[in-house]
Amino acid sequence: GAVVSQHPSWVICKSGTSVKIECRSLDFQATTMFWYRQFPKQSLMLMATSNEGSKATYEQGVEKDKFLINHASLTLSTLTVTSAHPEDSSFYICSARSTGEYTDTQYFGPGTRLTVL
Amino acid sequence: EDQVTQSPEALRLQEGESSSLNCSYTVSGLRGLFWYRQDPGKGPEFLFTLYSAGEEKEKERLKATLTKKESFLHITAPKPEDSATYLCAVCLTGGGNKLTFGTGTQLKVEL
């Protein structure tokens, strides 16, 4: 149980184009999902918290107009990198929050490798 | 300021050589401490959640413990397939369910 998928697993795009990444919780509903980015040899950095049916909350220093987040259903959140540039190249990982009577855990997707040429 | 520090940064073990990874934290209020395993090019895989000092959890060769200042991930008789980066993360009271990650311990288990 608690499987999270991401699509695509990797994408290469030209500078100036927009890229959409999907994050799905496959066997549970998630009112809250999170988006992270990870640079080589570094740990995960939280970009934003995505709440179903409401606006995302962005971490300090993350441009909300550049990284558009939509959480349209209890199983799907999307991250759109608008007008991507080479410095946006990174590993983007989503997580979905699963809550139960005694548990509250984030389960992560497999990640999306974005390369901007 | 809330801080999560993992040590060592890297660890090389021989197969069967037991050891421990450390995660020390200085936070205003802890809701939970999480351990994840991350393989290269993949997302983190959930291992354990610990909520209160004195709590212990086990899974196969791994055992996680928690005190008021730190958590240990004990690896007993490791195998090469245990090689990965192990990440510790904390969820803070009043932190909106966000996780703050440590920098990880890169473990390599050799034959």
Side-chain angles (χ1 to χ4, degrees):
Chain A
V3 178
V4 177
S5 70
Q6 272 184 252
H7 178 80
S9 55
W10 60 270
V11 57
I12 301 172
C13 69
K14 292 182 178 180
S15 187
T17 60
S18 294
V19 174
K20 180 185 281 188
I21 303 170
E22 291 187 349
C23 176
R24 292 180 186 273
S25 56
L26 297 185
D27 50 1
F28 65 101
Q29 294 183 329
T31 55
T32 306
M33 292 184 174
F34 302 85
W35 288 94
Y36 297 81
R37 65 189 295 182
Q38 186 176 34
F39 292 105
K41 304 291 185 183
Q42 294 187 24
S43 194
L44 281 74
M45 294 297 296
L46 180 65
M47 298 175 65
T49 301
S50 167
N51 294 296
E52 187 268 337
S54 64
K55 290 184 178 180
T57 304
Y58 292 81
E59 295 299 298
Q60 195 170 11
V62 177
E63 298 176 59
K64 61 181 180 181
D65 294 330
K66 180 164 187 64
F67 298 100
L68 301 179
I69 291 172
N70 184 269
H71 193 155
S73 77
L74 289 173
T75 60
L76 173 65
S77 176
T78 60
L79 169 69
T80 301
V81 183
T82 62
S83 186
H85 289 94
E87 57 265 30
D88 299 322
S89 298
S90 189
F91 192 51
Y92 292 87
I93 312 174
C94 72
S95 72
R97 182 183 175 215
S98 175
T99 57
E101 189 173 356
Y102 302 107
T103 62
D104 188 342
T105 301
Q106 285 186 36
Y107 294 93
F108 286 82
T112 296
R113 173 79 56 195
L114 171 63
T115 302
V116 185
L117 302 177
Chain B
E1 184 183 340
D2 299 317
Q3 272 195 321
V4 181
T5 304
Q6 289 189 246
S7 62
E9 287 186 15
L11 181 62
R12 183 169 282 188
L13 299 174
Q14 295 296 311
E15 185 175 13
E17 180 187 0
S18 300
S19 187
S20 296
L21 313 182
N22 178 264
C23 172
S24 62
Y25 59 93
T26 307
V27 300
S28 50
L30 183 72
R31 277 183 57 192
L33 185 142
F34 300 79
W35 282 99
Y36 290 87
R37 168 196 170 126
Q38 187 177 26
D39 292 299
K42 297 188 178 181
E45 174 189 346
F46 171 72
L47 295 175
F48 303 108
T49 309
L50 301 166
Y51 292 104
S52 57
E55 192 174 358
E56 298 182 352
K57 288 193 177 170
E58 285 188 71
K59 178 182 177 181
E60 295 179 354
R61 296 180 291 283
L62 300 177
K63 179 180 177 180
T65 62
L66 182 65
T67 72
K68 289 186 178 180
K69 294 183 178 181
E70 60 193 346
S71 177
F72 289 95
L73 183 66
H74 307 278
I75 303 177
T76 303
K79 297 182 178 182
E81 53 262 41
D82 295 321
S83 298
T85 296
Y86 290 85
L87 298 168
C88 162
V90 296
C91 183
L92 308 179
T93 54
N97 307 306
K98 298 189 294 186
L99 293 181
T100 301
F101 279 86
T103 51
T105 293
Q106 189 172 5
L107 173 66
K108 185 170 177 60
V109 182
E110 299 172 328
L111 291 169

